Amino acid sequence: MHKFMRGMAPLSVAAVIAVAAGCGQRDVVVASGSPTSPGARTEGMSPQPTITAPRARRSAYSFELQKSDWSDQDASSYNAQTELADGRRVAMFYATDKGLMEQHFDPTDGGWTRPVLLYRTKEHPCQGIELEAKAGTVAAVANWGTYCFDGEPPQESVAIVGASTLEKWDTHLTESFDGWEKFSISSDGDVVMFVNEAWKKSLRWSRSKGFS
């Protein structure tokens, strides 16, 4: 038997498998030194996970400051901007057939947020947006009405307040009203009072309750 084996040519791998199978052995695996391709599955081996590099997160403050499209002659009448004590800035502007838009700026990222719509209307804007900041609170008044930019009285008056991160804004609409003549922010930023003395009207906003 040994002489017979020494006289035979070496068996191929396939022949070895065939012989083993004929002897009742099953599930014989011949593994090469490495998989044929990354992530390829070989019997008896776990699949290799696909690793994807994380995408860079885009900053929320990566937009340019926009301006109103209502008038190029007197931009100050349709745009407003104020600055907070920590260097952040808030801008508001009138947009045609949309209403009042808002953006805010962060000095660390050096850019503006995407413009968001604070109040929707297709009425004509009245000239001027009153905008002020104090103690982390920002307040504004904006008015609209047919031909209001030409001197007609407003038909829609909106009081607006945002605080802290400026991601959430509270708005209060008063219709058929000449608008809020003035407003004041408390020293701690917790309360804003809107007043129209001629109409003997007032409106209060607080951090805890919003508009009351």
Side-chain angles (χ1 to χ4, degrees):
M1 178 65 179
H2 293 294
K3 291 180 180 180
F4 175 73
M5 293 295 293
R6 284 198 297 269
M8 293 178 63
L11 294 176
S12 66
V13 172
V16 172
I17 296 174
V19 171
C23 295
Q25 298 180 20
R26 298 181 180 179
D27 299 330
V28 177
V29 176
V30 178
S32 59
S34 61
T36 56
S37 63
R41 294 193 63 175
T42 305
E43 186 178 355
M45 298 178 64
S46 299
Q48 300 299 311
T50 302
I51 300 175
T52 304
R55 294 182 179 180
R57 184 179 179 182
R58 184 179 184 183
S59 169
Y61 297 90
S62 57
F63 297 86
E64 297 290 331
L65 176 64
Q66 294 191 17
K67 297 290 186 179
S68 173
D69 56 358
W70 266 96
S71 174
D72 293 330
Q73 298 179 352
D74 187 8
S76 63
S77 293
Y78 304 95
N79 301 274
Q81 193 174 143
T82 189
E83 185 172 357
L84 287 81
D86 58 10
R88 291 180 297 163
R89 283 182 276 166
V90 174
M92 295 185 184
F93 61 92
Y94 292 119
T96 303
D97 292 332
K98 290 183 179 179
L100 185 68
M101 309 295 293
E102 182 272 339
Q103 292 179 270
H104 47 278
F105 172 88
D106 186 271
T108 302
D109 289 329
W112 293 84
T113 55
R114 182 194 301 274
V116 297
L117 183 64
L118 295 185
Y119 176 72
R120 183 183 299 277
T121 181
K122 293 187 177 182
E123 279 289 357
H124 301 159
C126 302
Q127 294 186 17
I129 301 170
E130 300 298 325
L131 181 61
E132 183 181 333
K134 182 187 290 186
T137 296
V138 179
V141 169
N143 301 300
W144 292 264
T146 305
Y147 302 116
C148 191
F149 58 84
D150 229 7
E152 292 297 317
Q155 297 166 339
E156 302 172 20
S157 183
V158 177
I160 305 154
V161 182
S164 302
T165 63
L166 304 178
E167 297 300 324
K168 178 179 178 295
W169 293 85
D170 294 331
T171 61
H172 184 282
L173 169 66
T174 305
E175 296 181 287
S176 302
F177 173 59
D178 281 352
W180 301 106
E181 295 175 337
K182 58 184 179 180
F183 61 84
S184 60
I185 305 173
S186 63
S187 58
D188 58 6
D190 284 349
V191 176
V192 182
M193 290 296 301
F194 298 83
V195 177
N196 184 310
E197 295 177 349
W199 284 61
K200 297 181 179 180
K201 290 177 70 73
S202 64
L203 177 65
R204 186 180 189 271
W205 176 93
S206 67
R207 284 180 185 256
S208 59
K209 296 182 180 180
F211 283 105
S212 58

